[in-house]
Amino acid sequence: MWADTDTDIDFLNYSEVAELIAEMIGNPDLLPMSLGVFGSWGVGKSSTLRLVAHELAKAEDKYLVIQFDAWLYQDFDDARAALMSVIADELVKAAPPSLTSKAKSLFGRINKLRALGLLIEGGALAAGVPTFGFITRGLEGARDLLEGNADKDDLDAIKKAGADVKDQTAGLLKDVSEKGPPEEIAAFRKDFSDVLEGLGKTLVVFIDNLDRCLPENAIHTLEAVRLFLFMPRTAFVIGADEDMIRHAVARHFKEPGEKQVTDYLDKLIQIPVRVPRVGVEEVRAYLSLLLFQSACTDAELREKLRAFLIDRLRRSWTQDEPFKIEDLLKTIGKEGDDALRRSLEMGDRMAPLLAHSERVLGNPRIVKRLMNVVRMRAVIARKRNMPLDEAIIAKLALFERCVDSVATEALHNAINAASGGKLHFLQPIENGEPIEDHKAALPEKWHPHLAFVSDWARLEPKLAGLDLKPAVYLARETIPVRIASAAVPPHVTQAVETLLKTPTMSSQAAIAAVATLKGGYEVVGMDALVAEMRKNAEWSKVRADVRGVVLLAQASPDAAKIAVRFFKDLPTRPPWLRNMLSSEDWYKG
């Protein structure tokens, strides 16, 4: 198995990008700088940031590097203050005795700015126009008041929110000077600039996981960079999914035009750098490293193979031929290791499909999760004495990953219905005959995926003559290749995985999971939830995932429509399901 964590060891030749970013940060003519490392979920943004930090560490006397994980401060009362406080804390630690006092004064400046922000919110809230911050209870009540629809509960909420302002600012107000916000901001910037000048280093702040935050927090963090911290001798390197940040801008500013969104991003992030798209050769190299890492614990041999592959990737534009498995084995002195050879050859066969399938597109995190599923199933198969080679498991897991859940269910149903669990209709396609000539023999749910199925069927090992029923049992008994699509944000994935295991309708974890989908993600979450439910054809007993669907449907009319279609398409609805749905207003029929 392989850990699903970021790394500062380069497996995919991202070091070239990291070196380029480090060179830009090292050029004083480009400072101050805000640089965005853009890419979808799982492509390697966080690892690229770590590689940049690794490069800067080679000249640590020139840089003060600070890591800020925006997601960890998601629930902080003010995202701007969170970023400023983390930076101030690191400046205090790094400051020599002559600067310690001024560095510590930054905390007082931050408190004043926070207090001024809260005072602005408290005053606006009293007029029924809340602005920003942590006083969320009064928002709906204030809106109702403006619209003339307020009731007693709304008025109570507004009063309670106002009390929160008073209580939570009591310790801050004593530090607020006669200065207004512009003067306090200028004072903060001057103290900040003086400390940086005294340190004689470039401040480099890595901001990661911004795209996991709610839109408001994402925008507040970016605005802190621009408003408070964008000073001489500073560089901010921001890792994010550009589409998610665009969504945050659109949500925060109430659906501005495309030009306004683009202009806003261009002002906040001066230099966009996109994580390179992974191609077939990169996937081959990545799989080779993963598989060898699993087979060999010798750190020296691992590094030898990694260096060889990175060198070949960097010189790939000069190569007429891709690297060969024989080259890899020779490099590490393993020419006689047949088990390793078979494992590497399996990865080689999978690489083109993983690179080109629209549901993977070479995404390193998806590739790693797929291989973890394969390895887990192989271990269980051995423990249960199932007659399944790892290559068979890998080929079937690849099918699951690269098609939709409906096509996967059709595969499982076809295997269970076939005599001896053998898919004889695959044989002509496996032998190279055009798939169009045999389309009628294939499950109808496969028809949208014919191009993939054609390439997949030709992969070794051939499946037509094998009993695949144990593989279906294994797939349904173990964790499936989950919804880790690059198009699904991580917080949606987490919510769906919680809802799939809802123990009761009053489960606080499930209710909290539904709450995280508010703000436009309800439909995305329901789509993913239903896709997972389609993989389980067992309806004889009450299911936990149905409870999750019901909770989400209760919270969103649009999500409920998806649930209704799903339940009405079921071939059978057992009594327990009919009883559960009959009491739901969103479900009719």
Side-chain angles (χ1 to χ4, degrees), residues 105-106 109 112-113 177 179-194 231:
S105 74
L106 291 173
R109 298 286 185 198
K112 292 174 184 178
L113 290 166
S177 67
K179 300 175 183 176
E183 292 84 359
E184 286 295 348
I185 291 170
F188 174 85
R189 287 170 63 86
K190 184 180 185 307
D191 284 357
F192 188 85
S193 181
D194 289 347
M231 310 279 288

Side-chain angles (χ1 to χ4, degrees), residues 406-447:
V406 175
T408 298
E409 186 175 351
L411 169 67
H412 293 168
N413 291 341
I415 292 171
N416 286 332
S419 176
K422 298 177 181 180
L423 299 181
H424 293 296
F425 59 75
L426 283 178
Q427 188 165 0
I429 305 169
E430 290 179 339
N431 292 337
E433 295 183 25
I435 194 168
E436 288 292 341
D437 294 349
H438 303 278
K439 180 178 177 180
L442 301 176
E444 184 180 350
K445 301 300 185 182
W446 290 13
H447 291 182

Side-chain angles (χ1 to χ4, degrees), residues 40-63:
S40 58
W41 174 86
V43 301
K45 299 184 297 297
S46 297
S47 292
T48 300
L49 264 57
R50 292 188 63 170
L51 288 168
V52 176
H54 183 74
E55 287 295 316
L56 297 179
K58 296 175 182 177
E60 60 181 349
D61 58 317
K62 292 178 57 178
Y63 304 104

Side-chain angles (χ1 to χ4, degrees), residues 245-465:
I245 299 303
R246 286 179 175 276
H247 170 74
V249 173
R251 295 276 301 179
H252 185 76
F253 294 104
K254 309 304 180 188
E255 306 300 332
E258 181 62 29
K259 183 178 185 301
Q260 285 75 24
V261 173
T262 300
D263 289 347
Y264 185 85
L265 281 176
D266 288 345
K267 289 174 183 176
L268 284 178
I269 299 177
Q270 301 167 317
I271 305 173
V273 176
R274 286 170 178 80
V275 177
R277 166 78 183 274
V278 174
V280 175
E281 289 303 288
E282 286 79 12
V283 176
R284 290 183 66 223
Y286 187 59
L287 284 171
S288 296
L289 286 165
L290 289 180
L291 292 166
F292 183 65
Q293 187 183 68
S294 176
C296 176
T297 58
D298 189 315
E300 187 175 339
L301 280 183
R302 287 180 174 183
E303 177 56 26
K304 192 172 184 178
L305 178 60
R306 191 195 70 84
F308 168 81
L309 288 169
I310 294 300
D311 177 66
R312 290 300 296 261
L313 290 177
R314 290 195 173 196
R315 294 189 296 112
S316 60
W317 66 275
T318 68
Q319 306 294 325
D320 294 329
E321 295 183 356
F323 64 83
K324 298 181 175 64
I325 296 298
E326 199 60 43
D327 299 332
L328 306 189
L329 294 171
K330 186 175 180 181
T331 297
I332 54 179
K334 296 284 187 179
E335 298 97 323
D337 191 333
D338 291 336
L340 178 60
R341 183 190 300 273
R342 286 193 298 272
S343 183
L344 294 175
E345 287 174 347
M346 177 189 70
D348 248 21
R349 292 192 296 269
M350 295 172 65
L353 291 181
L354 291 172
H356 297 311
S357 169
E358 64 179 15
R359 291 176 175 265
V360 183
L361 294 177
N363 184 298
R365 182 163 289 164
I366 295 177
V367 171
K368 185 183 288 185
R369 288 190 174 190
L370 172 66
M371 297 307 295
N372 275 334
V373 169
V374 171
R375 186 55 50 88
M376 177 183 63
R377 291 181 181 176
V379 169
I380 293 174
R382 285 196 296 272
K383 288 180 179 294
R384 299 185 182 182
N385 295 317
M386 290 180 170
L388 289 173
D389 183 79
E390 188 169 9
I392 297 171
I393 295 170
K395 186 170 179 176
L396 291 170
L398 181 63
F399 187 95
E400 287 180 48
R401 177 63 258 180
C402 295
V403 301
D404 57 33
S405 59
V406 175
T408 298
E409 186 175 351
L411 169 67
H412 293 168
N413 291 341
I415 292 171
N416 286 332
S419 176
K422 298 177 181 180
L423 299 181
H424 293 296
F425 59 75
L426 283 178
Q427 188 165 0
I429 305 169
E430 290 179 339
N431 292 337
E433 295 183 25
I435 194 168
E436 288 292 341
D437 294 349
H438 303 278
K439 180 178 177 180
L442 301 176
E444 184 180 350
K445 301 300 185 182
W446 290 13
H447 291 182
H449 310 283
L450 289 183
F452 166 78
V453 172
S454 178
D455 292 337
W456 171 81
R458 290 173 172 81
L459 291 178
E460 293 292 339
K462 303 293 177 60
L463 302 180

